[in-house]
């Protein structure tokens, strides 16, 4: 097992190198570069740069070098010094920018993930054991509505409902009066009052999908002969269902938990943008729009690493949970 | 190979390579079948017994070329009397030979494609061997009759049938091309005793009518006693004892054979005596790291230190071949009567 | 036309209204406490001998936090314009007329030929750390920054008319002179907008805090010290400490930087909330002797998407803000005004939303097509501007050309309506007359090569799609196929830069005091960028326009205006330039003078309504933020 | 039918027939199927069903709320709507409409804007409409440009329900092929494909969208660009299907009936096409039905980020772009109806997929 993990880890290195290079190229696919965006931004503010200055800036940023060379410089710095470079736009180190927003992102994503699982698994199981019952239909419809409603729309409507009908303070992470205040119980409560919308939004879409999968997996398991045998031997339904079938039905989840890793890191971009949450997602979007290539590049590199590690984790968990699968 | 021999297996070996731990290091091997040789005469029923994991199914699948051989030869006498070593033939060259050797599967559920009617299922071997449709339809009806099913059932799907009936469908399918050799892999193990008996009788009827040769694989010594005239006992990929069924069962020479016999339920009250000694203890060791010397020694009540060091040869003793250092010393208990 | 409101400045001296009364000054309770605690000298010592007086609309109360929203580090102009200081600043009277008033100087004077400008700093003016501001700081700015090619590699032509950089002469500790080789009538106008240019417009004119910044300057600090400083601020090289986003020298990012503005930064970006706190040494008082500003703090919350901002507004979380309030959302703001406890004011935007044909198009056909004045007239007459106004701007703008707006000293009613009528028949006749008579089955006119005349028009914001669709409908009526495309803002800018666009939907702005920045009208970054490059590089690069192209008249008029020795002569030439630009019809103005919506909390006082909004007059800065106050 | 003949028909029923029988028990799935067929028909005949062209701008009919069609006027009556009076609030600039007493009858098979009958000719016949000077019949109200939301919804269905399908289909072909190869042959081929998949999955999609959207020539038809991008993205999105297909192939390969077919001399092609793929069809159909809603949601999400379809293309995502702001939610909530349409169609596709999957379940009865 250990050997297999090691081999896979070794494999991850070339994968990451190729992915990072491709990402680097993709970021620069749109015409123009950060200097273009910057010059335009300045001009809107009324500042004019001469062509000489623009040219100097490009050389300064190394944007005139061949892309392979730019990539080599970037990746060497990361590998040798752990230096993800400087964000042009923020004029600050990329790592500190990402780090600043990572805590809240992970917190929100984890809460909603736990929330999602906490809701979805019992409901999925129940729905499967009562297939085609009223409850099953209700859950099914809720599940599909949750899956069918675009997240940004749900976020927007919830915001409006919260604001207009419930007279709540919505949007952002807390009310402005707490923005600069030190942490206190009142502030924590205020934050709670704000995070329910993102959690509901994220959990709705997540839980909806999960309930469906859980139900389907459970149905598969419940139909198998061993379950009938267990019933025949006089075990209660609870014993039968929660012992073996649930565990088997959970296997695919456990094995895909690694896939949630990149999502944890990036948060949900769209929801965060609509709800004005200071998470990493909007930062990435902004970086891409401004062609702030080291910020975007660093971001994507981390995301890719998470994806690769997540996949690895999934495969290991899968092999662990299901001995029939041999690691290939 | 004598003229009566239909199939001769020599030094059959199958190693499954497992995942390599890293570059340069040899991959561990699962030694499923190790140096197995035997031959089957025309019209015989050759029994192959052993616990699960002993490699008996693998032998059958190697003979039918479901797996690639690691080494060894499989000589098969074709209907025209020629002998072919089929162990190295490719798929295309094998196809005509496949018509002459067929297999009956253990699981009557999973071995029939649920999406095909009996007509398609039984007719498939004929179809791929280029028979015409009308011919196939007639033959399917005939085969259904042969195995005791109504010819009208040809349009039905397997889900309409019971386990025993499905096994008969499998038999009909195996018979479709008039094979001279059929490997029956635990063909009745999954069935109720009475149904199993019916199907065994069917197989014997068919053997009489068409002179089919069987390789009959089972873990149940009680079963082989009825059907097979030759018998080989396998343990961890090797044949440990082989010979005439009656001789072998009445006077087993290998402790493993004795242990297997003891596991057979005896309706005879005298059988109580057999329970004086403990039944076969422990599990089959891993075929990846087989025990040194005689592979059976960790579980053998008669083992000596020598047994752990030296692998015994298969040698002829009292009309049977046996692979045991102490075969001469031991007076093992066989089936009485 | 509004009265020409600009005071004739050339040959005149002007001075600040100074507070000279002997009675005591008042200060914010926040500062009074610090004085009590002994951490701050008393207000009399902090204020100049004779502080400037900013006439508050109503004498206000101290204290409070002004809540705004901002869009991230790229959005420093919102906060900057609230508090930036120049030697002279635009001020608007109640009728919307603009005048230049002195800032942190006691007086200024201009010589007869407009080549020499004399400024005298306020006596006792101090940086926000209490250190006096003197001409040493001016000399530091000039010698160690402005002329320091390590920091500013090339000198902005704006400050080097005729190619010769301005010269500084320090007269005494408070007085200095700026001299030019040729007359520069518009220098003060430019100062009011551009300050002294690089490293950024957000710095005060002529002044840099020498006592603080010399540690980051290569004329004073050793290379290793500079390197250490760069490391400390997390930038790659010491030059990055300077520049418009300089980690150490931009007020926006460095809380330690001494400033002379009413507020200074406390928590910089990229925090989620950027906060600014009052400068205890701010040098102006109101008419009653209260040290300004009234408001203690300003907080900017980060947002990314318009709706997040709109929600803040509806929830009453915005105290006063115009930036990013969307004209289209005016009904939404009004509907929620009561709930949010605010009211909405309307300023007048000094811009015209326009179609910008690319006169330098790389497409041979379009080049000639747009170059044809009849075609431009047809394209202009074909647009139903009232519908655009109604559908795109909730009727809050007016149909007009791209010409100076009401309230601008250069406003001209005739120019405002130039080619702005809706007359598709005349447009069709013009196109027929220009020879584009062949049409295809769908009724679209054909190019000489038989292809359909198709123009791709690019917008940068989603809500512009509707407007462009209206125009496309209009153009269909004159047989021109217009393909509206909404693209990313960066790409939109980039396409103009790289000369790879047919036509853009473009906010043609800076239409108030045109003299401060006429570059758009001269083709720069707009309808004829390549021609402008040819002009500004004196033919070294870019594309030369046709010998009879009207753009040459525009340039000639500006050359005349920018070197005229008197204000009258300069303005006459500038009006000539504007007329040439508008009459050429290069830019197809659609709707302008749109309402700029401002959200004002009901407790926020002294916010003027109905002013002009322009970059030249520094946007919301024209509201004189120091005198805005919040009622308890 | 007698019991025996019913039993007989059950015994002789093909897998497909059995599946259909099980499917029919899933009532919601059947309703969904009917609904979806209706949607596609409505999209196909949009020009006839929609009273107005999708891009007809009406300056004086912006933000008209949905109009009630009355069929009761003290007693049963011919369908009619009330005439509306438009006022603009001078203070808030908001346009409001008031019902007057005047009734306008709804008419069927009216003449209106011309439309092309599948390239065969033109017609100006529309299913319904009203004849009034200053008013249109807006079942679902109008948007900020006075365009009829109902008509736009129908036209939008054409794009939304079809444009992304190209990419989905492409991804399926790729996923099936690669998954099948990987699962059937195993060994080095499998390892190589697995690594390739892992690599592809690590390529980030949002930057790719942004890059592609910006890199393609601007004068190209936005719809074409969108389809092109979905095709390119299909190069990425096939991996999830391939993963599943591979797993299925791996387990199918060891099924006895596959071995039986091999031992009877069947060729590889026959084994794959007659034995392995049919065992997966139900799964594939279900997966495909579930991929369509993903694609529809994907389009709306991308439109939200400003990366998907853009006006003047009319799709549900584009319509939602108009609606996805507080102003619409607060003042013109009817602009959210495309969102409702998205939810319904996604719901229907999911039910359909679910029904198909349940029906394909070999243990289900």
């Amino acid at each position: 097992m250990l050997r297999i993990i090691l081999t896979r880890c070794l494999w991850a290195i070339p994968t990451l190198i190729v992915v990072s290079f491709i990402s680097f190229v993709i970021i620069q696919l749109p015409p123009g570069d950060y200097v273009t965006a910057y010059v335009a931004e300045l001009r809107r503010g009324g500042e004019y740069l001469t062509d000489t200055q623009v040219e100097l800036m490009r050389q300064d940023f190394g944007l005139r070098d061949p892309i392979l060379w730019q990539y080599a410089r970037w990746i060497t710095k990361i590998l040798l010094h752990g230096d993800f470079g400087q964000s042009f736009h923020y004029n600050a180190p990329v790592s500190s920018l990402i780090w600043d927003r990572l805590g809240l992102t992970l917190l929100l994503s984890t809460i909603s993930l736990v929330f999602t699982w906490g809701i979805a698994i019992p409901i999925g199981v129940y729905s499967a054991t009562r297939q085609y019952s009223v409850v099953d239909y209700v859950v099914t419809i809720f599940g599909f509505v949750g899956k069918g409603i675009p997240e940004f729309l749900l976020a927007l409507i919830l915001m409006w409902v919260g604001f207009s009908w419930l007279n709540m303070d919505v949007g952002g992470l807390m009310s402005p009066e707490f923005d600069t205040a030190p942490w206190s119980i009142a502030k924590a409560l205020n934050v709670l009052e704000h995070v329910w919308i993102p959690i509901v939004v994220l959990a709705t879409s997540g839980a909806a999908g999960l309930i469906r999968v859980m139900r389907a997996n459970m149905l598969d398991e419940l139909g198998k002969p061993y379950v009938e045998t267990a019933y025949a031997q006089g075990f209660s339904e609870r014993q039968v269902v929660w012992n073996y079938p649930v565990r088997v039905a959970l296997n695919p989840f456990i094995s895909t938990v690694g896939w949630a890793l990149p999502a944890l890191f990036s948060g949900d971009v769209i929801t965060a943008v609509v709800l004005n949450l200071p998470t990493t997602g909007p930062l990435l979007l902004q970086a891409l729009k401004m062609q702030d290539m080291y910020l975007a590049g660093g971001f994507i590199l981390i995301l890719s690493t998470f994806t690769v590690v997540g996949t690895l984790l999934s495969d290991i968990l899968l092999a662990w949970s299901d001995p029939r699968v041999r690691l290939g | 190979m004598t003229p009566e021999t239909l199939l001769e297996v020599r030094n059959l070996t199958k190693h499954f390579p497992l995942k390599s731990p890293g570059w340069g290091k040899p991959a561990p091997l699962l030694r499923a079948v190790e140096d197995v040789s035997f031959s089957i005469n025309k019209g015989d029923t050759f029994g192959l017994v052993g616990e699960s994991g002993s490699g008996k199914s693998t032998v059958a699948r190697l003979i039918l070329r479901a797996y690639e051989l690691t080494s060894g030869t499989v000589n098969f006498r074709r209907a025209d009397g020629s002998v072919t070593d089929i162990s190295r033939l490719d798929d295309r060259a094998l196809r005509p030979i496949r018509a002459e050797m067929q297999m009956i599967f253990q699981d009557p559920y999973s071995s029939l494609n649920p999406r095909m009617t009996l007509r398609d299922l039984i007719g498939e071997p004929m179809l791929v061997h280029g028979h015409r449709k009308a011919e196939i339809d007639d033959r399917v009806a005939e085969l259904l009759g042969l195995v005791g099913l109504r010819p009208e059932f040809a349009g039905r799907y397997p889900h309409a049938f019971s386990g025993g009936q499905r096994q008969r469908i499998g038999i009909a399918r195996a018979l479709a091309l008039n094979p001279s050799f059929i490997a029956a892999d635990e063909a009745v193990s999954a069935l109720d005793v009475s149904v199993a008996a019916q199907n065994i009788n069917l197989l014997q009827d068919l053997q009489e009518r068409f002179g089919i040769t069987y390789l009959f694989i089972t873990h149940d010594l009680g079963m082989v006693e009825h059907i097979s005239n030759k018998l080989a006992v396998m343990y961890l990929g090797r044949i440990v004892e082989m010979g005439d069924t009656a001789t072998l069962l009445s006077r087993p020479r290998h402790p493993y054979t004795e242990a297997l016999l003891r596991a057979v339920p005896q309706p005879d009250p005298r059988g109580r005596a057999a329970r004086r000694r403990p039944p076969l203890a422990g599990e089959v060791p891993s075929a990846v790291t087989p025990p040194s010397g005689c592979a059976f020694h960790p579980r053998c009540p008669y083992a000596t230190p020598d047994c752990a060091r030296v692998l015994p040869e298969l040698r002829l003793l009292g009309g049977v071949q046996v692979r045991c250092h102490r075969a001469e010393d031991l007076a093992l208990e066989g089936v009485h009567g | 036309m509004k009265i020409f409101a600009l005071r004739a400045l050339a040959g005149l001296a002007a001075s600040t209204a100074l507070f000279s009364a002997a009675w005591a000054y008042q200060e914010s309770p926040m500062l009074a406490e610090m004085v009590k605690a002994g951490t701050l000298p008393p207000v009399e010592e902090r204020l100049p001998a004779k502080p400037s007086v900013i006439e508050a609309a109503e004498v206000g109360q101290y204290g409070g936090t002004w809540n705004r929203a901002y869009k991230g580090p790229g959005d420093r102009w919102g906060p900057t314009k609230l508090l930036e200081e120049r030697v002279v600043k635009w001020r608007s009277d109640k009728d919307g007329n603009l005048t230049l008033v002195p800032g942190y100087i006691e007086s200024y004077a201009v010589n007869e030929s407009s080549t020499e400008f004399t400024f005298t700093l306020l006596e006792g003016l101090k940086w926000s750390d209490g250190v006096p501001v003197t001409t040493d700081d001016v000399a530091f700015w000039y010698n160690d920054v402005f002329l320091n090619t390590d920091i500013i590699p090339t000198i902005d032509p704006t400050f080097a008319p005729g190619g010769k950089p301005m010269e500084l002469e320090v007269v005494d500790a408070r007085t200095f002179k700026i001299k030019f080789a040729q007359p520069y009538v518009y220098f003060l106008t430019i100062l009011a907008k551009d300050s002294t240019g690089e490293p950024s417009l957000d710095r005060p004119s002529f002044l840099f805090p020498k006592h603080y910044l010399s540690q980051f300057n290569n004329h004073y600090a050793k290379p290793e010290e500079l390197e250490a400083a760069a490391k400390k601020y997390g930038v790659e090289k010491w030059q990055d400490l300077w520049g418009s986003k300089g980690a150490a020298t931009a007020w926006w990012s460095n809380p330690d930087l001494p400033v002379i503005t009413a507020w200074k930064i406390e928590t910089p970006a990229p925090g989620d909330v950027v906060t600014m706190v009052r400068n205890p040494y701010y040098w102006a008082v109101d008419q009653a002797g209260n040290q300004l500003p009234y408001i203690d703090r300003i907080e900017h919350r980060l947002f990314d998407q318009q709706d997040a901002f709109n929600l803040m507004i509806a929830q009453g979380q915005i105290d006063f803000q115009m930036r990013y309030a969307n004209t289209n959302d005016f009904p939404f703001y009004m509907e929620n005004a009561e709930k949010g406890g605010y009211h909405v004011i309307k300023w007048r935007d000094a811009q015209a939303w326009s179609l910008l044909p690319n006169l330098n198009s790389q497409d041979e056909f379009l080049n000639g097509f747009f170059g044809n004045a009849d075609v431009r007239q047809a394209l202009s007459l074909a647009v139903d501007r009232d519908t655009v106004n109604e559908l795109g701007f909730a009727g809050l703008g007016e149909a007009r050309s791209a010409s100076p707006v009401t309230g601008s000293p250069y406003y001209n009613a005739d120019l405002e309506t130039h080619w702005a009528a809706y007359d598709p028949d005349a447009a069709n006749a013009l196109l027929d007359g220009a020879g584009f008579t062949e049409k295809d089955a769908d009724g679209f006119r054909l190019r000489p090569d038989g292809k359909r005349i198709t123009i791709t028009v690019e917008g940068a914001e989603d809500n512009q799609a509707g407007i462009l669709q209206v125009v496309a409908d209009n153009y269909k009526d004159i047989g021109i196929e217009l393909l509206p495309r909404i693209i990313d803002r960066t790409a939109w800018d980039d396409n103009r830069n790289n000369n790879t666009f047919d036509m853009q939907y473009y906010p043609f702005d800076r239409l108030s005091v045109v003299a401060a920045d006429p570059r758009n009208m001269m083709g720069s970054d707009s309808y004829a960028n390549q021609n402008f490059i040819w002009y500004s590089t004196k033919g070294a690069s870019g594309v030369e326009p046709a010998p009879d192209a009207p753009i040459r008249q525009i340039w000639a008029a500006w050359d005349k205006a920018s070197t005229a020795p008197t204000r009258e002569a300069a303005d006459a030439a500038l009006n000539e330039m504007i007329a040439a630009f508008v009459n050429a019809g290069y830019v197809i103005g659609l709707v302008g003078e749109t309402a700029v919506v401002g959200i004002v909390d009901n407790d926020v006082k002294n916010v003027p309504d109905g002013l002009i909004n322009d970059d030249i007059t520094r946007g919301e800065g024209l509201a004189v933020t120091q005198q805005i106050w919040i009622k308890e | 039918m007698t019991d025996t003949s019913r039993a007989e028909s059950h015994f002789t029923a093909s897998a497909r027939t059995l599946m259909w029988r099980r499917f029919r028990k899933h009532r919601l799935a059947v309703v969904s199927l009917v609904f979806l067929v209706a949607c596609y028909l409505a999209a196909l005949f949009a020009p006839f069903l929609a009273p107005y062209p999708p891009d007809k701008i009406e300056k004086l009919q912006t933000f008209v709320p949905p109009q009630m069609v009355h069929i009761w006027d003290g007693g049963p009556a011919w369908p009619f709507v009330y005439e509306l009076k438009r006022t603009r609030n001078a203070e808030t600039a908001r346009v409001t409409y008031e019902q007057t007493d005047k009734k306008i009858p709804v008419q069927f098979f009216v003449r209106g804007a011309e439309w092309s009958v599948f390239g065969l000719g033109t017609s100006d016949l529309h299913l319904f409409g009203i004849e009034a000077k200053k008013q249109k019949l807006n079942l679902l109200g109008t948007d900020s440009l006075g365009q009829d939301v109902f008509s736009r919804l129908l036209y939008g269905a054409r794009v939304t329900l079809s444009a992304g399908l190209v990419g989905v289909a492409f991804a399926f072909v790729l996923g099936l092929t690669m998954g099948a190869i990987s699962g059937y042959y195993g060994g080095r081929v499998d390892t190589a494909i697995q690594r390739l998949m892992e690599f592809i999955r690590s390529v980030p999609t949002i930057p790719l969208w942004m890059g592609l959207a910006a890199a393609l020539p601007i004068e190209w038809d936005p719809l074409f660009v969108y389809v092109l991008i979905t095709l390119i993205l299909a190069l990425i999105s096939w991996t999830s299907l391939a993963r599943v297909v591979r797993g299925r192939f791996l387990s199918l390969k060891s099924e006895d009936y596959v071995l039986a077919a091999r031992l009877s001399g069947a060729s590889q092609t026959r084994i794959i096409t007659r034995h392995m793929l049919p065992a997966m069809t139900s799964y594939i159909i279900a997966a495909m039905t579930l991929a369509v809603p993903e694609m529809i949601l994907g389009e709306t999400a991308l439109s939200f980020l400003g990366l998907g379809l853009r006006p003047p293309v009319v799709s549900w995502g584009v319509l939602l772009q108009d609606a996805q702001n507080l102003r619409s939610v607060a003042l013109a909530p009817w602009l959210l109806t495309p969102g409702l349409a998205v939810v319904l169609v996604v719901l229907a596709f999911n039910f359909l997929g679910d029904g198909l999957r349940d029906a394909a379940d070999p243990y289900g009865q």
Side-chain angles (χ1 to χ4, degrees), chain D residues 99-113:
Chain D
Q99 264 186 13
T100 62
D101 291 338
K102 200 178 159 206
K103 294 164 194 161
I104 311 173
V106 174
Q107 288 164 335
F108 293 93
F109 300 103
V110 293
R111 309 258 157 213

Side-chain angles (χ1 to χ4, degrees), chain A residues 8 11 15 18-19 22-23 26 29-31 131-132 137 140-141 144-145 147-150 152-153 156-157 160 212 215-216 219 223 259 269-270 274 285 288-289 300 304 307-308 311 315 328, chain D residues 26-28 195 198-199 201-204 206-208 210-212 214-215 243 246 294 297 300-301 304-305 320 323-326 329-330 336 339 342-343 346-347 350-351 354 357-358 361 363:
Chain A
R8 288 299 308 270
W11 260 110
T15 310
V18 180
V19 170
I22 294 214
S23 308
I26 289 175
L29 211 53
Q131 198 184 5
Y132 302 133
Y137 275 117
T140 304
I141 288 174
F144 285 153
V145 170
K147 241 181 122 175
I149 192 162
F152 60 86
L153 209 59
L156 216 67
I157 291 172
W160 183 249
R212 299 311 303 157
R215 176 180 177 273
L219 282 179
W259 296 50
V269 180
I270 294 180
V274 178
L285 208 61
L288 286 169
K289 282 193 173 157
I300 290 166
S304 307
T307 312
V308 171
T311 311
D315 285 352
Chain D
H26 198 306
R27 233 169 283 150
L28 274 174
R195 290 289 92 74
E198 185 180 317
F199 158 69
R201 244 196 333 260
S202 316
V203 175
I206 291 186
L208 190 61
M210 290 179 116
L212 290 172
R243 199 178 154 93
R246 172 183 174 269
E294 293 289 321
L297 286 177
T300 62
F304 176 83
L305 291 176
L320 272 180
Q324 67 195 16
N325 53 63
L326 285 175
V329 175
L336 295 173
V342 168
V343 173
V346 169
L347 207 68
N350 274 304
F351 276 128
D354 210 42
R357 198 168 40 201
D358 283 0
D361 173 9
Y363 299 103

